[in-house]
Amino acid sequence: CIERLKVEAKSLGLWNLFIPPHLLAHVPRGHAPSIPMSYREYGILCEVMGKSFLAPEACNCNAPDTGNMEVLLHFGTKLQKEKYLAPLLRGEIRSAFLMTEPDVASSDATNIETTLKKMKRPNGDVYYILNGTKWWSTGAMDPRCRLALVLARMDYSECDENNSTQGQRPHSAHTVVVVDMKNVEMVRPLKVMGYDDAPHGHAHVRLNNIRLTTDDLIIGEGSGFAVAQARLGAGRIHHCMRAIGMAVRCYDLMLERALTRKTFGKFLGEHGGCQEMIADSAADIDAARLLTLSCAEQMDLFGARTARDKIASIKFAVPNILSRVVDRAVQIHGGAGVHDDFPLARILVGMRTLRIADGPDAVHQRTVARIELKKMGKKMMTRSKL
């Protein structure tokens, strides 16, 4: 089914539309989107695709592949692009991003314990040994998954050069590497509140003495945090707009239910309580949509770094806002709302998960608060000089 949809999407020109304008020059010939889109324009399309569980993959615009492809487009070597990027752009393989770890609070990237040990042979050739454990490795369970981008901490203990991670800035000790999935040990599949999210799924994995070379590094040693942040900015807009699409689907189901079900001699939509839920949901969807599109426009105009506060804001605000919409839809559906006959329960789980994925709410609230306090501090200093 999905392969047939991919063929149709390609024929309609609805393929690889996630690629932003600033990366088009890096796209291999024959893989560029038919219609280059800004972040704002693509965000609107993400809402449409978000209404379906199949649409993002059918258009080769699904996570985590989009973020990984952007990383390879921006930072990948010629070899990495030929081996991994080209088949990803063709939709022939899938990928994973391995960052979260079971034994540490991974929302603080400086806690990461997976190590990339630098080694030197007697002739001076450099190689690396990767060791660690990761979980919530989205996409790793998919049989089509061929590669993973892995965030690891540099270990120079076996290297003669005086290049210790001690004393470095916290985030300069990390590196992102490309790992072939055949070298990754699967510990177990993971379910999200009972859902296995097949076929792509999530996994608990081990990285056991995986030998890598300099050809497997993204950019180079110590650039891991910059790479991770580069892939997350646009990804958070994609997540939020797809979530809006899911919420709109639930909202439509809510309206249909309110117009067709009766209690106490009246349709549900004629009861005041139901009308309040509908009105609140309509306002919440508009608020989430406008907040996200405003963020996308800031990224289009000024780039991800300048829009950092907007990106953090939508990441914690939008899932919270939309969770209320989905919860109301579940309530209006009654028993049917928590059954798999409708997509409501699955979408509600997805909304709750989104408040943790790519960093929990508290991390992004901390970012916004710090930026806002810094802005006010500058204003106060300016006023004091007048």
Side-chain angles (χ1 to χ4, degrees), residues 83 110 133 140 148 160 182 229 257 264 287 300 312 315 334 337 380:
K83 185 176 181 179
T110 63
T133 303
D160 292 336
K182 67 183 180 184
Q229 288 302 304
R257 195 77 167 183
F264 306 104
D300 286 329
K315 181 55 183 67
M380 292 170 67

Side-chain angles (χ1 to χ4, degrees), residues 326-339:
V326 183
D327 185 72
R328 294 182 195 117
V330 170
Q331 192 68 20
I332 287 178
H333 278 74
V338 294
H339 193 275

Side-chain angles (χ1 to χ4, degrees), residues 117-120 155-163:
K117 184 177 290 187
K118 186 174 184 178
M119 310 289 285
K120 274 190 176 181
D155 178 358
Y156 296 104
S157 62
E158 297 294 328
C159 190
D160 292 336
E161 61 189 64
N162 185 23
N163 193 4

Side-chain angles (χ1 to χ4, degrees), residues 8-21:
E8 187 170 351
K10 286 180 181 179
S11 69
L12 294 172
L14 302 175
W15 192 258
N16 290 337
L17 296 175
F18 70 92
I19 301 174

Side-chain angles (χ1 to χ4, degrees), residues 32-48:
S34 59
I35 307 173
M37 291 186 173
S38 65
Y39 285 119
R40 183 178 176 276
E41 291 167 336
Y42 179 66
I44 295 170
L45 183 61
C46 270
E47 178 181 334
V48 177

Side-chain angles (χ1 to χ4, degrees), residues 296-318:
E297 185 175 38
Q298 289 293 304
M299 285 188 65
D300 286 329
L301 294 174
F302 307 111
R305 182 178 292 274
T306 303
R308 185 165 164 250
D309 57 336
K310 300 284 189 182
I311 295 170
S313 291
I314 64 170
K315 181 55 183 67
F316 75 81
V318 170

